[in-house]
């Protein structure tokens, strides 16, 4: 892995731009899986990294640590999407044929606390990138990471590509703005721009502020005796949860398609936070029983009676999205994409990975 300080690396890396991809948000969960996926297919991968006082590159550093690929196959660039001039310069230099735009403020709950940053990073930054692409003098294919949150409180269940957007939080609103703009740029300027309307997709690389990872790390710590209780918010909330590595496959397939199109990427099934939690604990040998209601509901370990789950209203959302379940049949038909790891299966896989990590057994986390 190389950090660009010398533009000659770029020129030798991809003289004609073929099989060369640029990823914004490369250090995130999806960015790291996508990087591995593309490298394995022979791509040269360039990634945009924001300069920060603390390094936040562990997911990408693990790829470098394997030393499977020479440094010129994975090149990181310091930059910021809000700096349009430097983005333009960078893309003219690299000449990627595929751009995967995954960067942005990714937390729905947090978007109520920092709505302006969320709209700037998820909405305006995407528009800025589309404007840069419009002026490029070579053809490029653009993937935009949209979200099920554009549907918020949907009028139709399950949702398809035709369902009207009706976001219920600033995050969903910003993603809807960017999704509409991708379509507008596709129609108006002929850009190969598509949005993946992805439902929740999780993995052992998920950030700990998402409920799935919070649950699986909590279960692993409780199992190991490092923690006694896990505090959660709305246990009745339901999500359409898939497995992140399968979703990056869909992203790539969208950019290989004959025509650009938006696609719903979803499993079509939901499970509740309570069910996800039960599956994660059971995977580590702890069967849970829930008792009580509302904020007084608790979860106990059935064999020991130990209280392990409590409700903390601080985790309740001002408005929670509901009925989010996607119909990915268009992606199934057109891209031959069907997710296999679903809901509680994801919970089991993540809980086992966190348990192994905590035990120090993991050679490398998945
Ligand atoms: P989101 O679907 O992108 O908002 O993903 P999250 O993992 O942040 O939240 C998924 C659902 O879990 C939402 O409906 C939350 O209200 C619910 N939830 C329940 N307890 C918690 C918690 O402790 N933390 C978070 N982040 N969400 C929680």
């Amino acid at each position: 892995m190389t950090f660009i300080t010398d533009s000659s690396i770029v020129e030798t890396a991809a003289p004609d731009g073929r099989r060369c991809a640029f990823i914004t948000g490369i250090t995130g969960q999806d960015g790291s899986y996508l990087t591995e996926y593309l490298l394995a297919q022979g791509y040269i991968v360039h990634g945009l990294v924001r300069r920060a006082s603390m390094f936040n590159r562990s997911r990408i550093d693990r790829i470098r640590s394997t030393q499977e690929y020479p440094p010129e196959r994975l090149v990181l660039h310091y930059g910021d999407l809000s700096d349009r001039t430097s983005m333009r310069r960078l893309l003219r230099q690299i000449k990627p044929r595929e751009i995967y735009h995954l960067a942005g403020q990714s937390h729905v709950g947090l978007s109520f606390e920092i709505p302006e940053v969320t709209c700037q990073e998820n909405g305006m930054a995407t528009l800025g990138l589309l404007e840069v692409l419009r002026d490029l003098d070579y053809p490029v294919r653009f993937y935009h990471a949209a979200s099920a949150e554009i549907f918020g409180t949907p009028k139709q269940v399950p949702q398809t590509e035709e369902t009207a957007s009706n976001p219920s939080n600033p995050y969903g609103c910003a993603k809807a703005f960017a999704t509409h703009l991708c379509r507008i740029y596709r129609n108006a300027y002929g850009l190969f721009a598509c949005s993946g309307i992805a439902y929740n997709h999780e993995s052992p690389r998920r950030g700990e502020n998402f409920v799935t990872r919070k649950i699986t790390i909590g279960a692993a710590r409780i199992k190991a005796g490092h923690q006694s209780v896990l505090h959660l918010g709305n246990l009745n909330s339901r999500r359409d949860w898939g497995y992140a590595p399968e979703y990056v496959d869909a992203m790539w397939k969208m950019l290989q398609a004959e025509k650009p199109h938006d696609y719903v990427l979803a499993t079509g099934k939901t499970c509740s936070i309570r069910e996800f939690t039960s599956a994660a604990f059971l995977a580590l040998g702890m069967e849970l029983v829930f008792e009580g209601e509302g904020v007084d509901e608790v979860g106990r370990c059935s064999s020991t009676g130990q209280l392990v789950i409590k409700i903390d209203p601080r985790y309740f959302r001002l408005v929670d999205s509901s009925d989010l379940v996607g119909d990915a049949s268009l992606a199934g038909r057109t891209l031959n994409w069907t997710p296999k790891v679903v809901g509680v299966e994801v919970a089991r896989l993540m809980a086992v990975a966190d348990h192994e990590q905590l035990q120090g057994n993991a050679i490398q986390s998945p």
Side-chain angles (χ1 to χ4, degrees):
M1 182 170 62
T2 304
F3 265 96
I4 282 295
T5 49
D6 173 2
S7 60
S8 64
I9 297 175
V10 176
E11 263 133 49
T12 53
D16 58 3
R18 275 183 297 122
R19 307 290 277 178
C20 173
F22 181 71
I23 305 177
T24 76
I26 194 167
T27 55
Q29 167 189 263
D30 292 0
S32 66
Y33 282 121
L34 182 62
T35 299
E36 287 170 344
Y37 181 99
L38 295 175
L39 286 171
Q41 292 202 51
Y43 276 71
I44 293 160
V45 178
H46 292 263
L48 188 71
V49 180
R50 218 184 329 200
R51 197 182 281 277
S53 52
M54 299 275 288
F55 270 158
N56 176 27
R57 301 202 313 254
S58 58
R59 297 183 183 98
I60 278 293
D61 283 345
R62 83 179 76 203
I63 300 173
R64 179 178 57 168
S65 67
T66 66
Q67 299 189 334
E68 203 176 323
Y69 302 100
E72 61 274 17
R73 293 279 310 282
L74 173 56
V75 187
L76 301 185
H77 305 262
Y78 282 124
D80 196 301
L81 285 169
S82 62
D83 187 340
R84 211 170 291 178
T85 311
S86 64
M87 288 306 301
R88 185 173 288 119
R89 193 179 303 128
L90 196 55
L91 291 178
R92 281 193 179 145
Q93 215 179 13
I94 300 171
K95 293 192 169 44
R97 289 302 192 262
E98 294 172 21
I99 297 179
Y100 297 88
H101 175 41
L102 315 178
Q105 197 293 97
S106 61
H107 200 264
V108 172
L110 194 60
S111 77
F112 282 107
E113 311 295 325
I114 49 168
E116 291 183 44
V117 169
T118 304
C119 289
Q120 193 62 42
E121 291 190 357
N122 297 358
M124 288 305 290
T126 308
L127 173 58
L129 206 44
L130 287 167
E131 275 292 279
V132 171
L133 300 193
R134 219 181 115 186
D135 296 337
L136 289 179
D137 55 3
Y138 60 88
V140 71
R141 294 185 168 208
F142 180 70
Y143 174 87
H144 163 239
S147 161
E149 288 292 337
I150 68 172
F151 300 128
T153 315
K155 303 253 186 312
Q156 183 189 332
V157 181
Q159 296 83 49
T160 70
E161 295 76 10
E162 306 306 321
T163 305
S165 59
N166 188 27
S168 47
N169 51 62
Y171 172 89
C173 191
K175 287 285 184 187
F177 171 85
T179 304
H180 285 303
L181 279 163
C182 282
R183 181 179 43 77
I184 289 166
Y185 273 60
R186 183 166 72 220
N187 295 339
Y189 305 114
L191 263 183
F192 195 109
C194 9
S195 295
I197 307 167
Y199 285 64
N200 299 44
H201 45 287
E202 317 293 310
S203 77
R205 296 187 195 172
R206 194 53 144 156
E208 294 178 35
N209 51 353
F210 288 85
V211 74
T212 50
R213 189 75 199 290
K214 180 176 165 181
I215 291 166
T216 59
I217 289 186
R221 287 195 186 130
I222 289 171
K223 172 78 179 170
H226 299 330
Q227 182 177 333
S228 53
V229 179
L230 174 63
H231 290 92
L232 293 171
N234 180 5
L235 296 183
N236 294 318
S237 182
R238 303 184 75 86
R239 286 289 183 274
D240 178 332
W241 275 302
Y243 183 43
E246 297 189 326
Y247 285 60
V248 304
D249 174 47
M251 293 173 195
W252 179 78
K253 285 180 166 161
M254 282 173 64
L255 294 201
Q256 314 313 309
E258 202 181 319
K259 289 190 182 140
H261 207 287
D262 297 339
Y263 291 93
V264 162
L265 306 175
T267 70
K269 299 189 180 75
T270 65
C271 77
S272 69
I273 311 292
R274 194 181 291 100
E275 286 159 355
F276 192 98
T277 308
S278 295
F281 276 76
L282 193 59
L284 304 186
M286 295 174 284
E287 190 189 16
L288 296 189
V289 283
F290 287 90
E291 55 196 55
E293 273 181 34
V295 291
D296 297 323
E297 183 169 358
V298 293
R300 292 182 189 280
C301 193
S302 69
S303 57
T304 62
Q306 184 193 349
L307 191 152
V308 289
I309 306 292
K310 281 184 87 170
I311 304 300
D312 186 336
R314 279 182 307 162
Y315 298 114
F316 290 160
R317 299 262 163 95
L318 288 174
V319 185
D320 215 345
S321 307
S322 59
D323 294 326
L324 289 182
V325 51
D327 174 353
S329 47
L330 183 66
R333 281 196 309 277
T334 316
L335 307 174
N336 193 22
W337 181 80
T338 311
K340 294 179 184 63
V341 189
V342 176
V344 293
E345 221 18 81
V346 182
R348 284 186 207 115
L349 177 157
M350 289 173 67
V352 169
D354 276 324
H355 179 62
E356 285 184 358
Q357 184 107 0
L358 205 60
Q359 302 297 304
N361 295 341
I363 300 159
Q364 189 179 340
S365 99

